[in-house]
Amino acid sequence: MQYSQLPKQYKFINPVGLPEQLRIATKRHYFCKAFCFLGLIPLCASVLMTLTLDGNQQLFYQAVVALLLPTLILLGLCQHYLVFDRATHQRFLQLQLLGYYFKKNNCESLQSTELILLHNVNDRSQYCMRLNGTSYMIGTLQEASNLVLFIAQNFNITAKEQVTDFPNIHTLDTHVPAVSLAESGSQGIYTMDMPTSNSNSLHKANAKQTNSIDSPSMFIQPLWQVRIGLRLLYPLPFILLFCFSMKYIGGL
């Protein structure tokens, strides 16, 4: 399967380097983007002060703009990826900036990669992929299984699933097409380590369990969650501290 054959293009995957290399964005990658976005608030405030003030106060805010602007540009252009290299059979972390690739860190074998297909914690009707402890929200079972099988087949990684027998983890049969996995979502995903004896009873039990789990009437995603609302308040103390500092310094 090629990356272009996947049902959707995933934003956390950089297709540059495929099929020999696969670049997946890490948490540090998104932290850089988040700090760049938050830094726009003091930058815009400093630009406004530069245009409205004069004298020493204007010089101060000009210095703040000169310091913040290149910093935010570097954060916006900074890219941090988990790289799967098929030629060397290794995975590593690598920082990329303006087309320059920095030193490879945490080089390990591809076979030691943790690749698990599992339910979304907040919405059990949606699915995600866990890669070395980091969860990537994907969507439907077919979309998630397509991506997991793509990575497992192209980079010879053992894929697992935690859907049919939660919380137990089973090895996923990568020879089963993703369409077949999606169609059998209500009957359980086929696994390689499932015993042959009593297979029919196990499939029926898994089907019953999955049907009860994936029932839309049981899992309704709320429009608003308190935890999501609290996350929006995270940068508030830093913004208030910056505003008080600017007010104090501007009054000197």
Side-chain angles (χ1 to χ4, degrees):
M1 178 185 296
Q2 301 297 324
Y3 181 73
S4 59
Q5 297 175 344
L6 295 177
K8 57 185 275 189
Q9 305 301 313
Y10 303 94
K11 295 182 179 180
F12 52 84
I13 291 182
N14 186 351
V16 177
L18 285 173
E20 294 302 321
Q21 285 188 342
L22 177 66
R23 301 181 177 275
I24 302 178
T26 63
K27 290 183 179 180
R28 186 176 298 180
H29 176 90
Y30 289 107
F31 283 154
C32 292
K33 305 304 178 185
F35 282 120
C36 178
F37 179 77
L38 294 176
L40 293 177
I41 299 176
L43 177 63
C44 294
S46 299
V47 171
L48 181 61
M49 293 298 181
T50 301
L51 297 176
T52 55
L53 299 178
D54 54 8
N56 293 332
Q57 294 180 346
Q58 185 184 43
L59 292 176
F60 170 76
Y61 285 107
Q62 286 177 348
V64 173
V65 172
L67 178 63
L68 284 178
L69 186 59
T71 302
L72 296 182
I73 291 177
L74 290 177
L75 285 176
L77 296 176
C78 183
Q79 298 176 333
H80 193 259
Y81 292 114
L82 173 65
V83 183
F84 293 160
D85 193 343
R86 187 160 62 177
T88 60
H89 302 286
Q90 287 184 335
R91 77 167 194 273
F92 51 86
L93 297 173
Q94 191 171 40
L95 181 66
Q96 178 183 354
L97 181 63
L98 297 175
Y100 178 78
Y101 297 93
F102 290 85
K103 183 181 178 180
K104 303 175 183 178
N105 296 318
N106 300 332
C107 294
E108 295 185 19
S109 172
L110 284 176
Q111 291 297 325
S112 62
T113 303
E114 178 194 50
L115 178 61
I116 303 178
L117 172 66
L118 67 164
H119 285 285
N120 188 332
V121 177
N122 298 320
D123 185 0
R124 294 294 294 270
S125 64
Q126 299 294 307
Y127 298 83
C128 63
M129 173 186 68
R130 188 167 67 196
L131 195 59
N132 285 354
T134 303
S135 296
Y136 297 88
M137 306 306 171
I138 300 176
T140 64
L141 176 59
Q142 181 175 355
E143 293 171 346
S145 56
N146 266 304
L147 182 58
V148 170
L149 290 179
F150 166 77
I151 297 176
Q153 292 172 356
N154 286 274
F155 296 92
N156 195 23
I157 297 175
T158 301
K160 299 181 180 181
E161 59 89 14
Q162 199 182 25
V163 177
T164 59
D165 190 21
F166 183 87
N168 299 318
I169 299 177
H170 301 282
T171 304
L172 185 64
D173 188 357
T174 58
H175 299 288
V176 177
V179 177
S180 301
L181 293 178
E183 291 177 351
S184 60
S186 60
Q187 300 176 354
I189 297 179
Y190 299 112
T191 53
M192 295 178 63
D193 57 346
M194 182 172 293
T196 56
S197 61
N198 298 327
S199 59
N200 292 332
S201 60
L202 287 176
H203 279 300
K204 291 180 181 179
N206 289 334
K208 182 178 180 180
Q209 179 183 4
T210 309
N211 284 331
S212 61
I213 290 176
D214 294 339
S215 176
S217 60
M218 294 183 60
F219 296 95
I220 300 176
Q221 181 72 8
L223 296 177
W224 177 256
Q225 296 183 15
V226 178
R227 184 175 58 180
I228 297 178
L230 292 177
R231 289 180 181 178
L232 299 177
L233 301 179
Y234 286 170
L236 183 59
F238 302 98
I239 296 175
L240 292 176
L241 179 62
F242 176 81
C243 293
F244 283 124
S245 301
M246 294 298 100
K247 183 179 180 180
Y248 174 76
I249 297 174
L252 295 179

Coordinates of all heavy atoms in Angstrom, one line a residue, residues 154-227:
N154 N 5.0 -1.5 5.4 CA 6.1 -0.9 4.7 C 7.4 -0.9 5.5 O 8.5 -0.8 4.9 CB 5.7 0.5 4.3 CG 4.7 0.6 3.1 OD1 5.1 0.5 1.9 ND2 3.4 0.6 3.4
F155 N 7.3 -0.9 6.8 CA 8.5 -0.8 7.6 C 8.7 -2.0 8.5 O 9.5 -2.0 9.4 CB 8.4 0.5 8.5 CG 8.4 1.7 7.6 CD1 7.3 2.3 7.2 CD2 9.6 2.3 7.2 CE1 7.2 3.4 6.4 CE2 9.6 3.4 6.5 CZ 8.4 4.0 6.1
N156 N 8.0 -3.1 8.2 CA 8.2 -4.4 8.9 C 8.1 -4.2 10.4 O 9.0 -4.7 11.1 CB 9.5 -5.0 8.5 CG 9.6 -6.5 8.8 OD1 8.6 -7.2 9.0 ND2 10.8 -7.0 9.0
I157 N 7.0 -3.6 10.9 CA 6.8 -3.4 12.3 C 5.7 -4.3 12.8 O 4.6 -4.4 12.1 CB 6.5 -1.9 12.6 CG1 7.7 -1.1 12.2 CG2 6.2 -1.7 14.1 CD1 7.5 0.4 12.3
T158 N 5.8 -4.9 13.9 CA 4.7 -5.7 14.5 C 3.6 -4.8 15.0 O 3.8 -4.0 15.9 CB 5.2 -6.6 15.6 OG1 6.3 -7.4 15.1 CG2 4.1 -7.5 16.2
A159 N 2.4 -4.9 14.4 CA 1.3 -4.1 14.9 C 0.4 -4.8 15.8 O 0.3 -6.1 15.7 CB 0.5 -3.6 13.6
K160 N -0.2 -4.2 16.8 CA -1.1 -4.8 17.7 C -2.4 -4.0 17.8 O -2.5 -2.9 17.3 CB -0.4 -4.8 19.1 CG 0.9 -5.7 19.1 CD 1.5 -5.7 20.5 CE 2.8 -6.6 20.5 NZ 3.4 -6.7 21.8
E161 N -3.4 -4.6 18.5 CA -4.7 -3.9 18.6 C -5.2 -4.2 20.0 O -5.0 -5.2 20.6 CB -5.7 -4.4 17.5 CG -5.9 -5.9 17.5 CD -7.0 -6.3 18.4 OE1 -7.8 -5.5 18.9 OE2 -7.2 -7.5 18.7
Q162 N -6.0 -3.2 20.5 CA -6.6 -3.3 21.8 C -8.1 -3.0 21.7 O -8.7 -2.3 22.5 CB -6.0 -2.3 22.7 CG -6.2 -2.5 24.2 CD -5.5 -1.5 25.1 OE1 -5.3 -0.3 24.7 NE2 -5.2 -1.8 26.3
V163 N -8.7 -3.5 20.6 CA -10.1 -3.2 20.3 C -11.0 -4.4 20.7 O -12.1 -4.2 21.3 CB -10.2 -2.9 18.8 CG1 -11.7 -2.6 18.5 CG2 -9.4 -1.6 18.5
T164 N -10.6 -5.6 20.3 CA -11.5 -6.7 20.4 C -11.6 -7.3 21.8 O -12.6 -7.8 22.2 CB -11.0 -7.9 19.5 OG1 -9.7 -8.2 19.8 CG2 -11.1 -7.4 18.0
D165 N -10.5 -7.1 22.6 CA -10.5 -7.8 23.9 C -9.9 -6.8 24.9 O -8.9 -7.1 25.6 CB -9.6 -9.1 23.9 CG -9.7 -9.9 25.1 OD1 -10.7 -9.7 25.9 OD2 -8.8 -10.7 25.4
F166 N -10.5 -5.6 25.0 CA -10.0 -4.6 25.9 C -10.0 -5.1 27.4 O -11.0 -5.7 27.8 CB -10.8 -3.3 25.8 CG -10.3 -2.2 26.6 CD1 -9.4 -1.3 26.1 CD2 -10.9 -2.0 27.9 CE1 -8.9 -0.3 26.9 CE2 -10.4 -0.9 28.7 CZ -9.5 -0.1 28.2
P167 N -9.0 -4.9 28.2 CA -7.8 -4.1 27.9 C -6.6 -4.9 27.4 O -5.5 -4.5 27.4 CB -7.4 -3.5 29.3 CG -7.9 -4.6 30.3 CD -9.1 -5.2 29.6
N168 N -6.8 -6.2 27.1 CA -5.8 -7.0 26.6 C -5.3 -6.6 25.2 O -6.1 -6.1 24.4 CB -6.2 -8.5 26.5 CG -6.6 -9.0 27.9 OD1 -5.9 -8.8 28.9 ND2 -7.7 -9.8 28.0
I169 N -4.1 -6.8 24.9 CA -3.5 -6.4 23.6 C -3.1 -7.7 22.8 O -2.5 -8.6 23.3 CB -2.3 -5.6 23.8 CG1 -2.6 -4.3 24.5 CG2 -1.6 -5.2 22.5 CD1 -1.4 -3.4 24.9
H170 N -3.5 -7.7 21.5 CA -3.3 -8.9 20.7 C -2.5 -8.4 19.4 O -2.6 -7.2 19.0 CB -4.6 -9.5 20.2 CG -5.4 -10.1 21.4 ND1 -5.1 -11.2 22.0 CD2 -6.5 -9.6 22.0 CE1 -6.0 -11.4 23.0 NE2 -6.8 -10.4 23.0
T171 N -1.7 -9.3 18.9 CA -1.0 -9.0 17.6 C -2.0 -8.9 16.5 O -2.8 -9.8 16.3 CB 0.0 -10.1 17.4 OG1 0.9 -10.2 18.5 CG2 0.9 -9.7 16.1
L172 N -1.8 -7.9 15.7 CA -2.7 -7.7 14.5 C -2.1 -8.4 13.3 O -1.0 -8.3 13.0 CB -2.8 -6.2 14.3 CG -3.8 -5.7 13.2 CD1 -5.2 -6.1 13.6 CD2 -3.7 -4.2 13.0
D173 N -3.0 -9.1 12.6 CA -2.6 -9.8 11.4 C -2.5 -8.7 10.2 O -3.5 -8.2 9.7 CB -3.6 -10.8 11.0 CG -3.2 -11.7 9.8 OD1 -2.1 -11.4 9.3 OD2 -3.9 -12.7 9.5
T174 N -1.3 -8.4 9.8 CA -1.1 -7.4 8.8 C -1.4 -7.9 7.4 O -1.4 -7.1 6.4 CB 0.4 -6.9 8.8 OG1 1.2 -8.0 8.6 CG2 0.7 -6.2 10.1
H175 N -1.7 -9.2 7.2 CA -2.1 -9.7 5.9 C -3.6 -9.5 5.6 O -4.0 -9.7 4.5 CB -1.7 -11.2 5.8 CG -0.3 -11.4 6.0 ND1 0.7 -11.1 5.1 CD2 0.4 -12.0 7.0 CE1 1.9 -11.5 5.5 NE2 1.8 -12.0 6.7
V176 N -4.4 -9.1 6.6 CA -5.8 -8.9 6.4 C -5.9 -7.5 5.8 O -5.4 -6.5 6.4 CB -6.6 -9.0 7.7 CG1 -8.0 -8.7 7.5 CG2 -6.4 -10.4 8.2
P177 N -6.6 -7.3 4.7 CA -6.8 -5.9 4.2 C -7.6 -5.0 5.1 O -8.4 -5.5 6.0 CB -7.7 -6.2 2.9 CG -7.5 -7.6 2.6 CD -7.2 -8.3 3.9
A178 N -7.3 -3.7 5.0 CA -7.9 -2.8 5.9 C -9.4 -2.7 5.8 O -10.2 -2.5 6.7 CB -7.3 -1.4 5.7
V179 N -9.9 -2.9 4.5 CA -11.3 -2.9 4.3 C -12.0 -4.1 5.0 O -13.1 -3.9 5.6 CB -11.6 -3.0 2.8 CG1 -13.1 -3.1 2.5 CG2 -11.0 -1.9 2.0
S180 N -11.3 -5.3 5.0 CA -11.9 -6.4 5.8 C -11.9 -6.1 7.3 O -12.8 -6.5 8.0 CB -11.1 -7.7 5.5 OG -11.1 -7.9 4.1
L181 N -10.9 -5.4 7.8 CA -10.9 -5.1 9.2 C -12.0 -4.2 9.5 O -12.6 -4.3 10.6 CB -9.5 -4.4 9.5 CG -8.3 -5.3 9.4 CD1 -7.1 -4.5 9.8 CD2 -8.4 -6.5 10.4
A182 N -12.3 -3.2 8.7 CA -13.3 -2.3 8.9 C -14.7 -2.9 8.9 O -15.6 -2.7 9.7 CB -13.3 -1.1 8.0
E183 N -14.9 -3.8 7.9 CA -16.2 -4.5 7.8 C -16.4 -5.5 8.9 O -17.5 -5.8 9.3 CB -16.2 -5.3 6.4 CG -16.2 -4.4 5.2 CD -16.2 -5.2 3.9 OE1 -15.9 -6.4 4.0 OE2 -16.4 -4.6 2.9
S184 N -15.3 -6.0 9.5 CA -15.5 -6.9 10.6 C -15.4 -6.2 12.0 O -15.1 -6.8 13.0 CB -14.4 -8.0 10.6 OG -13.1 -7.4 10.6
G185 N -15.6 -4.9 12.0 CA -15.5 -4.1 13.2 C -16.5 -4.6 14.2 O -16.2 -4.5 15.4
S186 N -17.7 -5.0 13.8 CA -18.7 -5.4 14.7 C -18.5 -6.8 15.1 O -19.2 -7.3 16.0 CB -20.1 -5.2 14.0 OG -20.2 -6.0 12.9
Q187 N -17.6 -7.5 14.5 CA -17.4 -9.0 14.8 C -16.0 -9.2 15.4 O -15.7 -10.3 15.7 CB -17.5 -9.8 13.5 CG -18.8 -9.7 12.8 CD -18.9 -10.5 11.5 OE1 -17.9 -11.0 11.1 NE2 -20.0 -10.5 10.9
G188 N -15.2 -8.1 15.6 CA -13.9 -8.2 16.2 C -12.8 -8.3 15.1 O -13.0 -8.9 14.0
I189 N -11.7 -7.7 15.4 CA -10.6 -7.7 14.4 C -9.8 -9.0 14.5 O -9.5 -9.5 15.6 CB -9.6 -6.5 14.7 CG1 -10.4 -5.2 14.5 CG2 -8.4 -6.6 13.9 CD1 -9.5 -4.0 14.8
Y190 N -9.5 -9.6 13.4 CA -8.8 -10.9 13.4 C -7.4 -10.7 13.9 O -6.7 -9.7 13.5 CB -8.7 -11.4 11.9 CG -10.0 -11.7 11.3 CD1 -10.5 -10.9 10.3 CD2 -10.8 -12.7 11.8 CE1 -11.7 -11.1 9.7 CE2 -12.1 -12.9 11.2 CZ -12.5 -12.2 10.2 OH -13.7 -12.4 9.7
T191 N -6.9 -11.6 14.7 CA -5.6 -11.5 15.3 C -4.8 -12.7 15.0 O -5.4 -13.8 14.9 CB -5.7 -11.2 16.8 OG1 -6.5 -12.2 17.4 CG2 -6.3 -9.9 17.1
M192 N -3.5 -12.6 15.0 CA -2.6 -13.7 14.7 C -2.5 -14.7 15.9 O -2.3 -15.9 15.7 CB -1.2 -13.2 14.3 CG -1.2 -12.4 13.0 SD 0.4 -11.8 12.7 CE 1.3 -13.3 12.5
D193 N -2.6 -14.2 17.1 CA -2.4 -15.0 18.3 C -3.7 -15.6 18.8 O -3.7 -16.1 19.9 CB -1.6 -14.2 19.3 CG -2.4 -13.0 19.7 OD1 -3.3 -12.6 19.0 OD2 -2.0 -12.4 20.8
M194 N -4.8 -15.5 18.1 CA -6.0 -16.0 18.6 C -6.0 -17.5 18.4 O -5.7 -18.1 17.4 CB -7.2 -15.4 17.8 CG -8.6 -15.9 18.3 SD -9.9 -14.9 17.5 CE -9.6 -13.3 18.2
P195 N -6.4 -18.3 19.4 CA -6.3 -19.8 19.3 C -7.4 -20.3 18.4 O -8.4 -19.7 18.2 CB -6.6 -20.2 20.8 CG -7.4 -19.1 21.4 CD -6.8 -17.8 20.8
T196 N -7.1 -21.4 17.7 CA -8.0 -21.9 16.7 C -9.2 -22.6 17.4 O -10.3 -22.7 16.8 CB -7.2 -23.0 15.8 OG1 -6.6 -24.0 16.7 CG2 -6.1 -22.3 15.1
S197 N -9.0 -23.2 18.5 CA -10.1 -23.9 19.2 C -11.1 -22.8 19.8 O -10.7 -21.8 20.3 CB -9.6 -24.7 20.4 OG -8.9 -24.0 21.3
N198 N -12.3 -23.2 19.7 CA -13.4 -22.3 20.1 C -13.4 -20.9 19.5 O -13.7 -19.9 20.1 CB -13.3 -22.1 21.7 CG -13.5 -23.4 22.4 OD1 -14.2 -24.3 22.0 ND2 -12.8 -23.5 23.5
S199 N -12.9 -20.8 18.2 CA -12.8 -19.6 17.6 C -14.1 -18.9 17.3 O -14.3 -17.7 17.4 CB -12.0 -19.7 16.2 OG -12.7 -20.6 15.4
N200 N -15.1 -19.8 17.0 CA -16.4 -19.2 16.7 C -17.1 -18.6 17.9 O -17.6 -17.5 17.9 CB -17.4 -20.4 16.2 CG -17.0 -20.9 14.9 OD1 -16.4 -20.1 14.1 ND2 -17.2 -22.1 14.6
S201 N -16.9 -19.2 19.1 CA -17.5 -18.6 20.3 C -16.7 -17.3 20.7 O -17.4 -16.4 21.1 CB -17.4 -19.6 21.5 OG -16.0 -20.0 21.7
L202 N -15.4 -17.3 20.4 CA -14.7 -16.1 20.7 C -15.1 -15.0 19.8 O -15.2 -13.8 20.2 CB -13.2 -16.3 20.6 CG -12.5 -17.2 21.7 CD1 -11.1 -17.4 21.4 CD2 -12.7 -16.5 23.0
H203 N -15.3 -15.3 18.5 CA -15.7 -14.2 17.6 C -17.1 -13.7 17.9 O -17.3 -12.5 17.9 CB -15.8 -14.8 16.1 CG -14.4 -14.8 15.5 ND1 -13.7 -13.7 15.3 CD2 -13.7 -15.9 15.0 CE1 -12.5 -14.0 14.7 NE2 -12.5 -15.3 14.5
K204 N -18.0 -14.6 18.4 CA -19.3 -14.1 18.8 C -19.2 -13.3 20.0 O -19.9 -12.2 20.1 CB -20.2 -15.3 19.0 CG -20.6 -16.1 17.7 CD -21.5 -17.3 18.1 CE -21.8 -18.1 16.8 NZ -22.7 -19.3 17.1
A205 N -18.4 -13.7 21.0 CA -18.3 -12.9 22.2 C -17.7 -11.5 21.9 O -18.1 -10.5 22.4 CB -17.4 -13.6 23.2
N206 N -16.6 -11.5 21.0 CA -16.0 -10.2 20.6 C -17.0 -9.3 19.9 O -17.0 -8.1 20.0 CB -14.8 -10.5 19.8 CG -13.6 -11.0 20.6 OD1 -13.6 -10.8 21.8 ND2 -12.7 -11.8 20.0
A207 N -17.8 -10.0 19.0 CA -18.8 -9.2 18.2 C -19.8 -8.6 19.2 O -20.2 -7.4 19.0 CB -19.5 -10.1 17.2
K208 N -20.3 -9.3 20.2 CA -21.2 -8.8 21.1 C -20.6 -7.7 21.9 O -21.3 -6.6 22.2 CB -21.7 -9.9 22.0 CG -22.8 -9.5 23.0 CD -23.2 -10.7 23.9 CE -24.3 -10.2 24.9 NZ -24.7 -11.4 25.7
Q209 N -19.4 -7.9 22.3 CA -18.7 -6.8 23.1 C -18.5 -5.6 22.3 O -18.7 -4.5 22.8 CB -17.4 -7.4 23.6 CG -16.6 -6.3 24.5 CD -15.2 -6.9 24.9 OE1 -14.8 -8.0 24.5 NE2 -14.5 -6.1 25.6
T210 N -18.0 -5.7 21.0 CA -17.8 -4.6 20.2 C -19.0 -3.8 19.9 O -19.1 -2.6 19.8 CB -17.0 -5.0 18.9 OG1 -15.9 -5.8 19.3 CG2 -16.6 -3.8 18.1
N211 N -20.1 -4.6 19.6 CA -21.4 -3.9 19.3 C -21.9 -3.1 20.5 O -22.4 -2.0 20.3 CB -22.5 -5.0 19.0 CG -22.3 -5.5 17.6 OD1 -21.8 -4.8 16.7 ND2 -22.7 -6.8 17.4
S212 N -21.7 -3.6 21.7 CA -22.1 -2.9 22.9 C -21.2 -1.7 23.1 O -21.7 -0.6 23.6 CB -22.1 -3.8 24.1 OG -20.8 -4.3 24.4
I213 N -20.0 -1.8 22.7 CA -19.0 -0.7 23.0 C -19.2 0.4 21.9 O -19.3 1.6 22.2 CB -17.6 -1.2 22.9 CG1 -17.3 -2.0 24.1 CG2 -16.6 0.0 22.8 CD1 -15.9 -2.6 24.1
D214 N -19.4 0.0 20.7 CA -19.5 1.0 19.6 C -20.9 1.5 19.3 O -21.1 2.2 18.3 CB -18.9 0.4 18.3 CG -17.5 0.1 18.4 OD1 -16.8 0.7 19.3 OD2 -17.0 -0.8 17.6
S215 N -21.9 1.2 20.2 CA -23.2 1.6 20.0 C -23.3 3.1 20.1 O -22.9 3.7 21.1 CB -24.1 1.0 21.0 OG -25.5 1.5 20.8
P216 N -23.8 3.9 19.1 CA -23.8 5.3 19.1 C -24.6 5.8 20.3 O -24.4 6.9 20.8 CB -24.4 5.7 17.8 CG -24.2 4.5 16.9 CD -24.2 3.4 17.8
S217 N -25.7 5.0 20.7 CA -26.5 5.5 21.7 C -25.9 5.5 23.1 O -26.3 6.2 24.0 CB -27.8 4.6 21.8 OG -27.4 3.3 22.1
M218 N -24.8 4.7 23.2 CA -24.1 4.6 24.5 C -23.0 5.6 24.6 O -22.7 6.1 25.7 CB -23.5 3.2 24.7 CG -24.5 2.1 24.8 SD -23.8 0.5 25.1 CE -22.9 0.8 26.6
F219 N -22.3 6.0 23.5 CA -21.2 6.9 23.6 C -21.5 8.1 22.7 O -21.4 8.1 21.5 CB -19.9 6.2 23.1 CG -19.5 5.1 24.0 CD1 -19.8 3.8 23.7 CD2 -18.8 5.4 25.1 CE1 -19.4 2.8 24.5 CE2 -18.3 4.3 25.9 CZ -18.7 3.0 25.6
I220 N -22.0 9.2 23.4 CA -22.3 10.4 22.7 C -21.3 11.4 23.1 O -21.2 11.8 24.3 CB -23.8 10.9 23.0 CG1 -24.8 9.8 22.6 CG2 -24.1 12.2 22.4 CD1 -26.2 10.2 23.0
Q221 N -20.6 11.9 22.1 CA -19.5 12.9 22.4 C -20.1 14.2 22.8 O -20.9 14.8 22.0 CB -18.6 13.1 21.2 CG -17.4 14.0 21.4 CD -16.4 13.5 22.3 OE1 -16.5 12.3 22.7 NE2 -15.4 14.3 22.7
P222 N -19.9 14.8 24.0 CA -20.5 16.1 24.4 C -19.8 17.2 23.6 O -18.7 17.1 23.2 CB -20.1 16.2 25.9 CG -18.9 15.3 26.0 CD -19.1 14.2 25.1
L223 N -20.7 18.2 23.4 CA -20.2 19.4 22.6 C -19.1 20.2 23.4 O -18.3 20.8 22.8 CB -21.3 20.3 22.2 CG -22.4 19.7 21.3 CD1 -23.5 20.7 21.1 CD2 -21.7 19.3 20.0
W224 N -19.2 20.1 24.7 CA -18.3 20.9 25.6 C -17.8 20.0 26.7 O -18.6 19.4 27.4 CB -19.0 22.1 26.1 CG -18.1 22.9 27.0 CD1 -18.2 23.0 28.4 CD2 -17.0 23.8 26.7 NE1 -17.2 23.8 28.9 CE2 -16.5 24.3 27.9 CE3 -16.4 24.1 25.4 CZ2 -15.4 25.2 27.9 CZ3 -15.4 25.0 25.4 CH2 -14.8 25.5 26.6
Q225 N -16.5 20.1 26.9 CA -15.9 19.3 28.0 C -15.2 20.3 28.9 O -14.5 21.2 28.4 CB -15.0 18.2 27.5 CG -15.7 17.1 26.7 CD -14.8 16.0 26.3 OE1 -13.7 15.9 26.8 NE2 -15.2 15.2 25.3
V226 N -15.3 20.1 30.2 CA -14.6 21.0 31.2 C -13.1 20.9 31.0 O -12.4 22.0 31.1 CB -15.0 20.6 32.6 CG1 -14.3 21.5 33.6 CG2 -16.5 20.7 32.8
R227 N -12.6 19.7 30.7 CA -11.1 19.6 30.6 C -10.6 20.4 29.4 O -9.6 21.0 29.5 CB -10.8 18.1 30.4 CG -9.3 17.8 30.4 CD -9.0 16.4 30.3 NE -9.7 15.7 29.2 CZ -9.6 14.4 29.0 NH1 -8.9 13.6 29.8 NH2 -10.2 13.9 27.9

